[in-house]
Amino acid sequence: MKRITIAIDGFSSCGKSTMAKDLAKKLGYVYVDSGAMYRAVTLYAMEHGCFDGLQLNVEKLRNMMQDIHISFQFNPETGKPDTYLNNTHVENQIRNMEVSERVSIVAALDFVRTEMVAQQQAFGKEKGVVMDGRDIGTTVFPDAELKIFLTASPEIRAQRRYEELKAKGQEASFDDILANVKERDYIDQHREVSPLVQAEDAILLDNSNLTIEQQNEWLMKEYLKRVED
Ligand code: CDP
């Protein structure tokens, strides 16, 4: 069967990564979480004194970009690739609230995006890739054969993120998460470089009232339509 490129974009905490990971596993495709890459750059910036509170020293980060190396290694326990920053495992750290509060500031920078997009395109060079993010169907892989744009209400998304963090033993308040979800939506949609927008040829899915199984089934049908004709 022909191998294709699958782009899954949408708002924060919609369940993009669950959907993308499950499909990649079924198809034997590579799964790339592009948000993890922006999160890793943000963690590096925080650890190297580029932030004073929420204030970012952009020039300091610009000069450090060449020292930031991000890679992924498949974790058989979770069935997902874990993120490594300069060969250090950072998968858990990059998901905490401190990083979430800063990542959209870092992801709005043109020099950060140029570098990340180039790496993402290299990951997908051979096709057979499922990538999730904000600009995969518009900027990274505008020619992807299957493009999904995922959304759900902010309250449902915040609830899902709250449960996810709680399951990992990370403390966070629902109200803080909801505020963060809305704040990131706003920054992601209004930034100048590659703002979050539905690609013209993307299919919209609101999964507010779908179970994971229902959304996976829906996605598999969409995939089959693309490869069977
Ligand atoms: O998991 P969640 O949807 O909350 O976010 P994520 O996918 O981990 O992405 C974290 C942040 O990185 C987003 O809020 C965006 O600001 C940024 N991002 C981006 O700008 N472009 C991408 N392709 C992926 C993420």
Side-chain angles (χ1 to χ4, degrees):
M1 205 172 283
K2 73 172 176 188
R3 290 166 74 78
I4 63 169
T5 301
I6 301 170
I8 302 184
D9 289 304
F11 292 96
S12 66
S13 314
C14 269
K16 297 185 298 291
S17 65
T18 305
M19 190 185 212
K21 175 197 82 176
D22 288 352
L23 183 65
K25 196 172 166 196
K26 272 190 216 135
L27 304 180
Y29 277 24
V30 172
Y31 162 58
V32 180
D33 174 355
S34 68
M37 298 170 73
Y38 294 98
R39 286 175 178 273
V41 174
T42 305
L43 180 65
Y44 188 93
M46 288 163 63
E47 287 177 339
H48 290 80
C50 297
F51 272 101
D52 180 6
L54 292 178
Q55 204 61 43
L56 171 65
N57 182 333
V58 172
E59 286 318 306
K60 193 165 178 178
L61 178 59
R62 192 195 299 272
N63 292 328
M64 286 178 179
M65 276 314 283
Q66 76 273 17
D67 305 325
I68 305 179
H69 301 286
I70 300 161
S71 53
F72 294 103
Q73 252 178 54
F74 188 75
N75 178 340
E77 262 175 47
T78 58
K80 271 175 86 161
D82 280 354
T83 313
Y84 287 74
L85 172 60
N86 293 338
N87 297 319
T88 301
H89 182 266
V90 292
E91 185 55 35
N92 297 325
Q93 262 172 295
I94 60 168
R95 312 281 166 194
N96 71 28
M97 278 299 280
E98 285 72 32
V99 173
S100 295
E101 278 164 8
R102 291 165 179 81
V103 59
S104 291
I105 302 169
V106 170
L109 299 171
D110 58 350
F111 62 88
V112 172
R113 300 204 74 82
T114 305
E115 182 59 37
M116 294 304 112
V117 169
Q119 288 190 26
Q120 290 153 10
Q121 288 172 336
F123 285 134
K125 209 168 67 239
E126 313 286 335
K127 295 211 170 243
V129 67
V130 187
M131 196 173 292
D132 77 329
R134 302 292 187 283
D135 60 338
I136 311 306
T138 50
T139 303
V140 181
F141 298 124
D143 298 329
E145 289 86 350
L146 176 56
K147 297 182 186 178
I148 310 293
F149 193 85
L150 203 56
T151 187
S153 78
E155 287 72 20
I156 287 189
R157 292 189 274 133
Q159 185 63 33
R160 289 176 183 160
R161 183 51 51 101
Y162 174 75
E163 279 159 19
E164 192 185 325
L165 288 175
K166 211 167 72 176
K168 284 189 200 154
Q170 290 187 24
E171 272 306 310
S173 91
F174 174 81
D175 291 343
D176 286 353
I177 295 175
L178 181 59
N180 177 251
V181 159
K182 290 183 177 170
E183 166 94 9
R184 280 198 288 139
D185 286 354
Y186 184 86
I187 302 178
D188 292 348
Q189 285 176 292
H190 292 88
R191 67 178 174 225
E192 270 179 36
V193 200
S194 295
L196 171 63
V197 56
Q198 183 179 345
E200 266 178 27
D201 50 351
I203 322 167
L204 179 69
L205 177 69
D206 183 331
N207 71 357
S208 298
N209 298 308
L210 294 186
T211 63
I212 290 178
E213 289 71 32
Q214 285 169 329
Q215 77 173 20
N216 285 352
E217 220 172 278
W218 176 89
L219 182 59
M220 181 54 83
K221 278 194 195 133
E222 292 300 330
Y223 158 78
L224 289 172
K225 280 189 217 163
R226 300 301 185 292
V227 291
E228 278 172 349
D229 51 39

